[in-house]
């Protein structure tokens, strides 16, 4: 009687809940209808259409206008549709309206993995069954992509799961014998607490077991590459979810390999892009406090949360904005940032958008910050790409900083899903989601994160045709399944489970030569429930897997799997992970080629009292005049206006900027001087005014490289890179700079070329000029090349006013210690805090110095004297000492 009562009460409660749901359904219907109408009106007002509109309007056109449908049917002799398993009902109706018994379709029901786009595999199966019944269906089972052993693994896993409708794949190629092309990497989920030193804290916030699996997979990839069994570019790592990519990418990069990611966070979500986006928003409107807080907390300023809270409280107490509070704060970090930021805002009125991005990176030391992070080359490439997108935006939309900042923050500069910039090296391990890999193939496929459980997200509304189900909450915050919800949810889960299996079928059939399956499971509970892919994939390959997990023998051995399949099994747990995860890193000889921007590992923390940043420009400024360096670099005093304008013609600095900008695009293989239109465009982009004589001079200088023997060498060089940034550490201090152009020659020499627009005086020896004015630069360039792994580095200077005789010096790896000692000697006065005034005062060096009028020990008769650029070197030397030229 009680059971009957409870059953009746349950039915009554369900009926009441259904009644509430029945009231909600029309409200939802009205909401969706109104949304559709308003969205359609907005699209119509903009003259726009989305992909759904294209399908809906095309379908209506063919369905409602018989003459249009007939015309289009007659246009096609044959209609072939590939990937039919990914078709939705609307698309199938379109095809039916075009079909005049000439529709040829191709597909594979077991590769239907786009249910989230409303693809329905039942459409394919229905058409196949109809064609099969009439003898018009052909089944293809030969696979010309994969090795026989890889296909054996696919058949072993999926034949029992897909049932009688599955046709086992057979190899259509002849294999070379040798090796175990199928591998299984299993990581225990338990026991990793306290092993952060082994797993690496930088892989957080991933769970410990996923970090352990990522380290194991990266170690195996390292073994394969070092053994010469595959190149990094022949290896792809596939994951089910994009959110899992980062941890595997970091583990692979830690092994010394470049990576190319087509999954994970998009370009606009990368931290370096988000930092610059916030900076652009604040630059356009410093009263945008959300953006300004983002900039202050970013490495562009580096304020911690306590400083931000103190700034906010101070602004609140004074009733002012955060931007205004920065002008009277006493925090040194805020003061320095505020000065730089105000200068940057003033400069935006005449700067191109690409230059604004570049200045943000340069002036705030953001390039230094990126150089100290893992994989700096990818981060720097993303920043470069952002500058390029800024230039493209300006070309399309005009120089509008506010619109650019808004578009950047909304992720609308380029494509909707803008990919990250590729790394500067081509030989990179690729990472992508399984969905992205569909239709592709790779020599080595590693499917990772197979221990990840299925999506447990609970929908609140389910529909199928006229059936509707709602999951309604009550006042106690519990939920009732109403109407057809329970039935629809069961059907949905069954369909999702079936598609999940098809997803891994697609992943495994991407492999040509080697297939690696990597996942984590709880060994103590093996065999575990069917909650993750590894729980059914692994035992399908090795039926007695539980015995291998329980054993304490060697790992990385080939075992006999199902039907005699040879499977290389690697098992990792905390007890024996040391040898597996902490294996040897690539040596200097075996290490993949690194871009010049990557030097030796940089220190993780700053030694107390030590300044870590030294750009070549700053060091050159110090050697020209230590006192001016002190005033500007340490006291942050700005240049003063020169008392009189420069000599005839365009000033040296703008001229050099334009020449270098034109040489960035110079084609060494087909050398031609830039025409005056390109010169004018470069000048306009840089905000520089030119007359006809200036333009001709800039064009001649940029084209002069064609006459230099360096031009032909650069045309033949490989891995040519222009405006290449570099950074290397010496005694815990970072030295950085940018090289005009560099490339690798056939004999392995790294050729570094620097353009010079200097005017050479009569009888002046260019070699002496290089030694006097650019010796430090040459020393730093040589070390940068050697630190990048080159066995031989040639640093060549091309004076564009005398291009036929470049000045080159060659340095070998054996000279690195001597070069380091020479650089230490050059840095020693700066480290000791000696800021001596220049021995060669003159207008070119001292005219805009902030200390010229009141602080300098030289009289203005010396600091403002003019040295003609055409004066002989000896004459210039005598003038510098205050002696007459003919004395």
């Amino acid at each position: 009687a009680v059971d009957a009562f409870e059953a009746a009460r349950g039915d009554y409660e369900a009926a009441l809940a259904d009644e509430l749901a029945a009231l909600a359904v029309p409200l939802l219907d009205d909401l969706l209808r109104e949304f559709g109408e308003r969205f359609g009106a907005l699209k119509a007002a903009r003259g726009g259409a989305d992909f759904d509109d294209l399908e809906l309007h095309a379908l209506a056109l063919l369905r409602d206008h018989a003459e249009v449908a007939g015309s289009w049917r007659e246009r096609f002799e044959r209609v072939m549709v590939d990937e039919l398993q990914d078709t939705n009902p609307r698309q199938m109706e379109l095809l039916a309206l075009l079909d005049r018994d000439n529709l040829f379709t191709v597909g594979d029901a077991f590769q239907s993995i786009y249910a989230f786009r409303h693809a329905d595999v039942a459409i394919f199966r229905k058409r196949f069954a109809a064609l099969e019944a009439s003898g018009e269906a052909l089944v293809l089972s030969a696979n010309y992509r994969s090795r026989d052993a890889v296909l054996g693994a696919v058949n072993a896993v999926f034949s029992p799961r897909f049932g009688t409708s599955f046709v086992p794949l057979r190899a259509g190629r002849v294999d070379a014998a040798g090796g175990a092309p199928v591998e299984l990497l299993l990581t225990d989920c338990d026991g990793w607490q306290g092993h952060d030193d082994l797993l690496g804290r930088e892989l957080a916030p991933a769970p410990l077991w996923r970090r352990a699996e990522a380290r194991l997979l990266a170690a195996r990839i390292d073994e394969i590459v070092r053994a010469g069994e595959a190149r990094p570019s022949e290896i792809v790592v596939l994951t089910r979810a994009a959110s899992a990519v980062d941890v595997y990418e970091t583990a692979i990069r830690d092994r010394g390999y470049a990576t190319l990611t087509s999954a994970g966070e998009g370009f606009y979500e990368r931290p370096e892009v988000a930092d610059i986006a916030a900076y652009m928003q604040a630059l356009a409107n410093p009263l945008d406090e959300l953006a300004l807080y983002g900039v202050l907390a970013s490495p562009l300023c580096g304020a911690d949360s306590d400083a931000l809270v103190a700034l906010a409280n101070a602004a609140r107490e004074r009733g002012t904005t955060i931007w205004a509070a920065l002008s009277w704060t006493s925090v040194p970090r805020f003061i320095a940032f505020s000065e730089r930021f105000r200068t940057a805002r003033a400069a935006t009125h005449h700067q191109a958008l690409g230059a604004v991005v570049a200045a943000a990176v340069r002036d705030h030391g953001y390039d230094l910050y990126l150089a100290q992070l893992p994989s700096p080359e990818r981060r720097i490439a993303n920043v470069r790409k952002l500058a390029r997108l800024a230039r493209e935006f300006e070309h399309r939309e005009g120089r509008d900083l506010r619109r650019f900042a808004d578009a950047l923050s909304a992720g609308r500069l380029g494509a909707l899903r803008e990919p990250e910039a590729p790394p500067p090296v081509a030989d990179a391990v690729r990472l992508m989601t399984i969905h992205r890999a569909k239709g592709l193939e790779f020599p080595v496929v590693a499917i990772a994160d197979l221990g990840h459980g299925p999506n447990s997200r609970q929908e609140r509304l389910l529909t199928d045709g006229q059936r509707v189900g709602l999951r309604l909450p009550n006042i106690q915050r519990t939920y009732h399944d109403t109407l057809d919800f329970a039935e629809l949810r069961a059907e949905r889960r069954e369909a999702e489970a079936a598609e999940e299996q098809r997803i891994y079928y697609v992943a495994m059939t991407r492999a040509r030569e080697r297939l690696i399956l990597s996942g984590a499971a709880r060994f103590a509970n093996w065999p575990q429930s069917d909650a993750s892919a590894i729980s059914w994939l692994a035992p399908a390959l090795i039926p007695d897997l539980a015995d291998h997990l329980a054993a304490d023998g060697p790992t990385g051995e080939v075992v006999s799997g199902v039907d005699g399949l040879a499977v290389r099994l690697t098992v990792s747990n905390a007890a024996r992970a040391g040898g597996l995860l902490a294996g040897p890193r690539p040596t200097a000889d075996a290490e993949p080629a690194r871009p010049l921007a990557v030097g030796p590992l940089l220190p993780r923390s700053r030694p107390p009292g030590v300044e870590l940043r030294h750009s070549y420009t700053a060091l050159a400024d110090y050697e020209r005049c230590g006192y001016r360096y002190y005033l500007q670099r340490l006291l942050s005093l700005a240049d003063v206006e020169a008392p009189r304008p420069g000599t005839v013609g365009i000033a040296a600095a703008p001229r050099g900027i334009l020449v270098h900008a034109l040489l960035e695009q110079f084609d060494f293989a087909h050398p031609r001087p830039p025409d005056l239109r390109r010169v004018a465009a470069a000048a306009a982009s840089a905000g520089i005014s030119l007359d006809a004589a200036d333009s001709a001079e800039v064009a001649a200088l940029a084209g002069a490289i064609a006459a230099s023997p360096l031009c032909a060498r650069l045309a033949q060089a490989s891995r040519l890179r222009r405006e290449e940034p570099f950074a290397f550490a010496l005694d815990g201090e970072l030295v950085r700079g940018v090289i005009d152009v560099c490339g690798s020659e056939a004999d392995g020499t790294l050729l570094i070329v620097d353009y010079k627009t200097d005017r050479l005086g009569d009888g002046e020896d260019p070699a002496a000029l290089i030694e006097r004015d650019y010796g430090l630069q040459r020393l730093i360039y040589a070390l940068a090349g050697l630190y990048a792994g080159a066995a031989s580095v040639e640093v060549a200077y091309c004076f564009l006013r005398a291009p036929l005789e470049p000045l080159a010096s060659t340095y070998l790896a054996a000279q690195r210690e001597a070069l380091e000692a020479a650089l230490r000697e050059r840095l020693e006065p700066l480290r000791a805090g000696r800021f001596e005034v220049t021995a060669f005062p003159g207008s070119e060096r001292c005219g805009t110095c902030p200390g010229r009028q009141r602080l300098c020990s030289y009289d203005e008769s010396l600091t403002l004297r003019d040295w003609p650029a055409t004066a002989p070197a000896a004459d210039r030397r005598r003038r510098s000492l205050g002696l007459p030229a003919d004395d």
Side-chain angles (χ1 to χ4, degrees), residues 186-188 190-192 523 549 551-552 571-578 580:
L186 279 176
T187 302
D188 197 349
D190 299 321
W192 296 104
F523 291 180
L549 297 181
D552 197 22
V571 178
S572 173
N573 55 30
R576 53 183 169 185
L580 292 172

Side-chain angles (χ1 to χ4, degrees), residues 169-335:
L169 302 175
R170 55 183 179 84
R173 50 174 277 194
V174 178
D175 282 340
V182 179
E183 301 188 26
L184 182 61
L185 275 57
L186 279 176
T187 302
D188 197 349
C189 286
D190 299 321
W192 296 104
Q193 292 73 15
H195 287 77
D196 280 346
D197 55 335
L198 179 63
L199 301 181
R201 296 180 186 275
E202 67 274 13
L203 294 189
L208 290 175
W209 59 265
R210 182 174 287 151
R211 289 156 60 183
E213 184 209 337
R215 291 291 191 205
L216 178 63
L217 178 57
R220 181 58 187 141
I221 289 173
D222 187 28
E223 290 175 354
I224 292 171
V225 174
R226 288 164 66 86
E229 298 172 11
R231 295 182 59 83
S233 57
E234 296 175 324
I235 301 173
V236 67
V237 176
L238 304 180
T239 61
R240 173 69 177 88
S243 58
V245 167
D246 287 348
V247 65
Y248 297 94
E249 181 181 25
T250 304
I252 294 169
R253 286 178 175 178
D254 283 353
R255 286 276 168 175
Y257 298 102
T259 59
L260 180 59
T261 306
S262 302
E265 294 180 332
F267 173 74
Y268 297 109
E269 282 72 41
R270 296 300 300 176
E272 56 272 16
V273 178
D275 286 343
I276 301 299
Y279 183 86
M280 293 297 133
Q281 284 279 25
L283 205 61
N285 178 19
L287 298 182
D288 182 345
E289 294 197 346
L290 183 61
L292 187 56
Y293 273 129
V295 176
L296 296 176
S298 76
L300 292 158
C301 176
D304 58 27
S305 56
D306 290 340
L308 293 176
V309 170
L311 182 68
N313 289 338
R316 190 179 301 110
E317 290 171 1
R318 294 201 181 191
T320 188
T321 64
I322 298 298
W323 172 237
L326 283 175
S327 63
W328 44 259
T329 180
S330 60
V331 178
R333 187 178 297 275
F334 286 151
I335 295 173

Side-chain angles (χ1 to χ4, degrees), residues 524-554:
N525 298 335
W526 191 270
Q528 57 188 28
S529 64
D530 204 17
S532 63
I534 198 66
S535 63
W536 51 268
L537 280 168
L541 294 176
I542 307 176
D544 60 343
L545 182 60
D547 297 335
H548 292 283
L549 297 181
D552 197 22

Side-chain angles (χ1 to χ4, degrees), residues 111-449:
Q111 294 194 51
S112 179
I113 60 172
Y114 289 102
F116 63 91
R117 295 180 184 168
H118 308 294
D120 187 353
V121 69
I123 294 174
F124 176 89
R125 288 173 174 156
K126 180 180 179 181
R127 177 171 174 82
F128 177 77
L131 293 174
E132 187 179 37
S134 60
E136 298 177 283
L138 179 65
V139 176
L140 304 177
S141 61
N143 180 299
Y144 295 90
R145 170 189 298 158
S146 306
R147 293 182 63 174
D148 185 66
V150 172
L151 296 180
V154 173
N155 294 335
V157 170
F158 294 103
S159 287
R161 291 197 160 261
F162 289 160
T164 56
S165 61
F166 178 73
V167 178
L169 302 175
R170 55 183 179 84
R173 50 174 277 194
V174 178
D175 282 340
V182 179
E183 301 188 26
L184 182 61
L185 275 57
L186 279 176
T187 302
D188 197 349
C189 286
D190 299 321
W192 296 104
Q193 292 73 15
H195 287 77
D196 280 346
D197 55 335
L198 179 63
L199 301 181
R201 296 180 186 275
E202 67 274 13
L203 294 189
L208 290 175
W209 59 265
R210 182 174 287 151
R211 289 156 60 183
E213 184 209 337
R215 291 291 191 205
L216 178 63
L217 178 57
R220 181 58 187 141
I221 289 173
D222 187 28
E223 290 175 354
I224 292 171
V225 174
R226 288 164 66 86
E229 298 172 11
R231 295 182 59 83
S233 57
E234 296 175 324
I235 301 173
V236 67
V237 176
L238 304 180
T239 61
R240 173 69 177 88
S243 58
V245 167
D246 287 348
V247 65
Y248 297 94
E249 181 181 25
T250 304
I252 294 169
R253 286 178 175 178
D254 283 353
R255 286 276 168 175
Y257 298 102
T259 59
L260 180 59
T261 306
S262 302
E265 294 180 332
F267 173 74
Y268 297 109
E269 282 72 41
R270 296 300 300 176
E272 56 272 16
V273 178
D275 286 343
I276 301 299
Y279 183 86
M280 293 297 133
Q281 284 279 25
L283 205 61
N285 178 19
L287 298 182
D288 182 345
E289 294 197 346
L290 183 61
L292 187 56
Y293 273 129
V295 176
L296 296 176
S298 76
L300 292 158
C301 176
D304 58 27
S305 56
D306 290 340
L308 293 176
V309 170
L311 182 68
N313 289 338
R316 190 179 301 110
E317 290 171 1
R318 294 201 181 191
T320 188
T321 64
I322 298 298
W323 172 237
L326 283 175
S327 63
W328 44 259
T329 180
S330 60
V331 178
R333 187 178 297 275
F334 286 151
I335 295 173
F337 171 79
S338 179
E339 291 176 353
R340 297 194 306 268
F341 193 72
R342 292 176 191 277
T343 301
R345 289 201 75 223
T348 58
H349 300 295
H350 61 267
Q351 277 185 323
L353 294 179
V356 174
V357 173
V361 174
R362 180 188 64 245
D363 296 344
H364 296 277
Y366 196 67
D367 50 352
L368 166 70
Y369 165 76
L370 296 179
Q372 297 181 79
L373 296 178
S375 304
E377 69 279 2
R378 168 62 63 80
R379 302 173 192 271
I380 292 172
N382 280 334
V383 172
R384 284 181 174 176
K385 176 175 179 175
L386 180 56
R388 175 178 59 78
L389 291 174
R391 292 192 294 269
E392 293 174 357
F393 179 90
E394 182 173 339
H395 180 73
R396 293 192 314 268
E397 309 288 343
R399 190 178 297 179
D400 189 328
L401 178 61
R402 185 53 192 261
R403 288 180 63 192
F404 169 70
D406 290 343
L408 175 56
S409 296
R412 294 174 181 168
L413 284 185
L416 182 61
R417 294 185 177 180
E418 190 72 38
E420 282 192 74
V425 292
D427 208 12
V429 178
R430 284 172 286 188
L431 298 97
M432 61 180 65
T433 62
I434 297 172
H435 282 91
R436 287 281 184 94
K438 190 172 185 293
L440 304 178
E441 58 184 68
F442 310 89
V444 179
V445 170
I447 309 174
D449 199 33

